[in-house]
Amino acid sequence: MRYSAFRIFKEGLTGNKGWKAAWREPDPKPEYDIIIIGGGGHGLSTAYYLSKEFGMRNVAVLEKGWLGSGNIGRNTTIIRSNYLLPGNQPFYEMSMKLWENLEQDTNYNSMVSQRSILNLFHSDAQRDAFVRRGNAMFLSGADAELADEAQLRRELPFLNFDNARFPIKGGLYQRRGGTARHDAVAWGYARGADSRGVDIIQNCEVTGIDIENGVCRGVQTTRGAIRARKVAMCVAGSSGRVAALAGMRLPIESHVLQAFVSEGLKPVLPGVITFGAGHFYVSQSDKGGLVFGGDIDGYNTYAQRGNLPVVEDVAEGGMAIMPMIGRARLLRSWGGVMDMSMDGTPFIDKTHIEGLYFNGGWCYGGFKATPASGYCYAHLLAKDEPHPVAAQMRLDRFMTGNLIDEKGQGNQPNLH
Amino acid sequence: MIINHPLLGPRDAAEFVYLGDACMMDRPDWQAEDAMAQFVEYGYLRDNPAGEHQELWYHEQGDRSWLVITRNTLTHEISKVEMARDVARSRGRDK
Ligand SMILES: Cc1cc2nc3c(=O)[nH]c(=O)nc-3n(C[C@H](O)[C@H](O)[C@H](O)COP(=O)(O)OP(=O)(O)OC[C@H]3O[C@@H](n4cnc5c(N)ncnc54)[C@H](O)[C@@H]3O)c2cc1C
């Protein structure tokens, strides 16, 4: 069923009786060409591009909960391609281009809103670093715009320009950045994959990975054993646990990141704003709530909740750049468990076990990657060779010395 | 979270800095044949368990001691707090 304005009109006149479920509820088949473990954004986009771009239809996505119950449904929805390094920036720019055409492509309203993202800077050194970043963005075909203090004072008069410790000196805009409706991204991809024959199987947890003589042959699940020629892990914050089923140790730790939403306000924030020094980011949802977050809690956890010291820290960051935020009441907060890779960069790679593939380590920046991650993972699964823009996202990069260390911080996680 | 420091008693976890998996204490021998592989594993690979986890916390806002804490990563429950020094000695190290 295609969605269109005409369809909405017609359904409106006929009591909305014609809408059908957006995807089927199939039982698992005994065998598939490709099994994707994890029905989050990345797993579903992988299934979508596998079926649409690479013609692979005998595919199943196994999700232990319901679609969108993981990080895809918990994040602060920021999309952007303002990275720096050659191993990263072209990948995120590819993602940005896919975002720009996502709704037309999937025939689903994912509410992609290119309302702009602004990274504030507070010192000469930070400005220089952002100029360099802007140039790196241009090199990948992305847009970037340096704004000085006077411009920002005109555009965003509510910011605290004269903060004694971190005065705002300007910022780097990416006008094409913005936000998207997180759940709808998962649903759009699910519907698109399902309509091309992909089986999306919910409430089906993978509990074992079957490896015979070093070759992966399928998985054990709470709904029985399922065989497959290829098994693709794509479980975001559960990477460590699922890889352990195959006896693997990963360059990853699991950490929790919290997000916060205020009560609904009239439109105040035109785009996404990030506080470069204190680490705070904020945007306004279409319902009017201010959506914001900051640092990770900072120690290994699988509990999907955060702790108070970080709540305090995020609130302080918000007050430092945008004092008016203190007038708004906090409506709710939650935590999501994410992979923290040891250089802050993800992996899309084969593992050392034949037929077993890995996609993970997205830290807290993986939402924006959803389209390109799916596309590149599908490319790898279909052709057994990496897509050029993801060619450096290898598992062995710590051994070969080809780290993609965006922040230049070495092997301490806590990066994005 | 409250950390029950062996010398100082219960302290707020916010006084501490987290370093990560306590396997960081077992630095490989740099002269070993396979030192390279061992150091890659040491520096980057982790068990990352869901459940009991031994980890290093530094009491930066306090007595600046290193602790080995056994904590459940699913519940945040802390079942054991030891001085890192004592743990190292019990593993046969001189300091
Ligand atoms: C609070 C917060 C804010 C964030 N903000 C942003 C942001 O603004 N911009 C941005 O780009 N990124 C952001 N991120 C990061 C981003 O959300 C994640 O990197 C990304 O969503 C991860 O990919 P995913 O959508 O596939 O993950 P998920 O949706 O978590 O998908 C993984 C799925 O695997 C399933 N699974 C796990 N184990 C098994 C198993 N054994 N068997 C079957 N299924 C299993 C899970 O149930 C889950 O549904 C944020 C994250 C958090 C937590």
Side-chain angles (χ1 to χ4, degrees):
Chain A
M1 181 189 13
R2 275 194 74 75
Y3 296 138
S4 63
F6 171 72
R7 182 91 208 190
I8 294 172
F9 186 67
K10 187 175 158 222
E11 290 297 334
L13 290 178
T14 55
N16 286 306
K17 293 202 188 77
W19 298 119
K20 291 201 201 69
W23 54 82
R24 300 163 296 137
E25 286 282 355
D27 287 322
K29 292 192 259 179
E31 182 157 4
Y32 290 93
D33 289 338
I34 298 176
I35 283 177
I36 297 164
I37 311 176
H42 293 210
L44 293 167
S45 63
T46 304
Y48 175 78
Y49 293 114
L50 266 175
S51 58
K52 179 164 180 280
E53 302 295 332
F54 301 96
M56 312 274 311
R57 304 285 160 106
N58 190 18
V59 175
V61 178
L62 310 182
E63 165 56 47
K64 76 172 172 194
W66 68 92
L67 294 192
S69 55
N71 285 336
I72 185 78
R74 290 170 180 267
N75 70 81
T76 43
T77 75
I78 299 167
I79 60 175
R80 57 184 173 89
S81 62
N82 53 2
Y83 281 69
L84 176 71
L85 301 177
N88 259 345
Q89 175 59 21
F91 171 86
Y92 287 101
E93 178 52 21
M94 173 185 176
S95 213
M96 201 65 230
K97 293 212 171 76
L98 290 168
W99 281 117
E100 287 176 318
N101 192 37
L102 184 68
E103 287 147 337
Q104 291 72 11
D105 194 42
T106 56
N107 176 237
Y108 201 86
N109 182 8
S110 327
M111 295 166 69
V112 175
S113 164
Q114 294 182 286
R115 57 181 78 178
S116 86
I117 179 163
L118 170 70
N119 297 153
L120 299 172
F121 58 77
H122 313 271
S123 67
D124 290 349
Q126 232 184 352
R127 185 198 54 227
D128 293 350
F130 278 6
V131 169
R132 179 177 172 220
R133 182 176 292 264
N135 285 333
M137 291 161 68
F138 284 140
L139 288 175
S140 76
D143 59 312
E145 181 189 321
L146 199 73
D148 63 11
E149 187 183 332
Q151 181 184 343
L152 294 187
R153 276 188 190 268
R154 265 194 322 276
E155 289 178 2
L156 306 163
F158 52 82
L159 291 179
N160 185 4
F161 288 89
D162 304 315
N163 181 304
R165 188 143 173 239
F166 299 116
I168 294 168
K169 298 286 188 195
L172 185 70
Y173 267 118
Q174 182 178 27
R175 299 274 183 194
R176 283 162 65 238
T179 58
R181 170 84 163 89
H182 46 2
D183 300 313
V185 174
W187 299 334
Y189 277 128
R191 173 172 165 270
D194 173 87
S195 70
R196 289 176 177 81
V198 172
D199 282 357
I200 295 168
I201 301 162
Q202 304 183 65
N203 299 310
C204 179
E205 179 173 356
V206 170
T207 52
I209 295 180
D210 295 333
I211 298 163
E212 295 162 16
N213 303 323
V215 182
C216 182
R217 303 282 187 198
V219 294
Q220 298 291 324
T221 77
T222 46
R223 296 179 66 175
I226 312 176
R227 292 180 72 80
R229 287 200 301 115
K230 293 179 180 177
V231 173
M233 297 186 265
C234 198
V235 293
S238 303
S239 293
R241 279 200 267 185
V242 172
L245 299 175
M248 287 175 64
R249 290 177 92 213
L250 296 173
I252 283 176
E253 290 181 351
S254 296
H255 287 252
V256 72
L257 178 68
Q258 304 190 56
F260 307 84
V261 178
S262 79
E263 61 191 323
L265 306 172
K266 286 184 178 174
V268 284
L269 285 187
V272 184
I273 300 176
T274 81
F275 175 21
H279 203 185
F280 171 85
Y281 49 92
V282 60
S283 66
Q284 189 167 20
S285 80
D286 294 304
K287 281 190 278 187
L290 299 178
V291 181
F292 54 94
D295 277 318
I296 57 175
D297 274 31
Y299 40 84
N300 290 40
T301 174
Y302 285 96
Q304 282 184 327
R305 61 177 171 81
N307 279 314
L308 271 175
V310 172
V311 178
E312 210 173 69
D313 184 64
V314 171
E316 282 169 3
M319 289 299 288
I321 60 156
M322 220 173 93
M324 73 176 176
I325 208 169
R327 304 284 295 267
R329 261 173 295 226
L330 202 61
L331 216 55
R332 55 204 172 89
S333 73
W334 63 89
V337 176
M338 326 129 329
D339 290 349
M340 267 293 146
S341 69
M342 291 294 180
D343 59 356
T345 300
F347 306 93
I348 301 178
D349 202 1
K350 298 179 188 183
T351 70
H352 67 283
I353 297 163
E354 200 187 316
L356 185 64
Y357 297 75
F358 180 66
N359 174 314
W362 294 97
C363 306
Y364 49 98
F367 177 66
K368 69 180 83 69
T370 308
S373 164
Y375 198 103
C376 294
Y377 203 24
H379 186 284
L380 176 71
L381 286 161
K383 303 190 170 194
D384 265 316
E385 57 189 61
H387 188 283
V389 303
Q392 294 184 40
M393 296 177 175
R394 309 294 304 273
L395 272 166
D396 68 356
R397 62 176 181 258
F398 301 103
M399 183 57 125
T400 58
N402 292 307
L403 275 69
I404 310 176
D405 189 358
E406 276 281 334
K407 248 192 165 180
Q409 251 172 237
N411 69 337
Q412 279 287 345
N414 307 356
L415 305 175
H416 47 291
Chain B
M1 271 191 323
I2 300 292
I3 293 175
N4 199 2
H5 192 295
L7 302 177
L8 306 174
R11 319 295 298 200
D12 192 318
E15 291 178 11
F16 293 78
V17 176
Y18 178 73
L19 183 70
D21 197 316
C23 69
M24 298 298 285
M25 289 171 70
D26 302 319
R27 204 177 161 80
D29 173 9
W30 62 277
Q31 286 177 311
E33 283 283 317
D34 59 344
M36 173 69 180
Q38 281 196 48
F39 268 98
V40 170
E41 199 174 320
Y42 170 78
Y44 301 107
L45 298 189
R46 297 288 180 267
D47 284 341
N48 197 22
E52 295 259 292
H53 188 227
Q54 281 208 326
E55 50 204 24
L56 285 166
W57 291 72
Y58 176 57
H59 197 193
E60 189 181 32
Q61 310 292 325
D63 70 341
R64 309 182 71 188
S65 59
W66 283 96
L67 304 180
V68 173
I69 292 179
T70 309
R71 187 179 57 95
N72 189 313
T73 58
L74 287 160
T75 61
H76 293 172
E77 190 191 347
I78 294 174
S79 53
K80 203 176 194 183
V81 184
E82 299 158 279
M83 302 296 290
R85 189 178 60 209
D86 296 340
V87 175
R89 284 206 186 105
S90 74
R91 291 182 191 176
R93 295 237 302 271
D94 54 358
K95 54 178 189 277

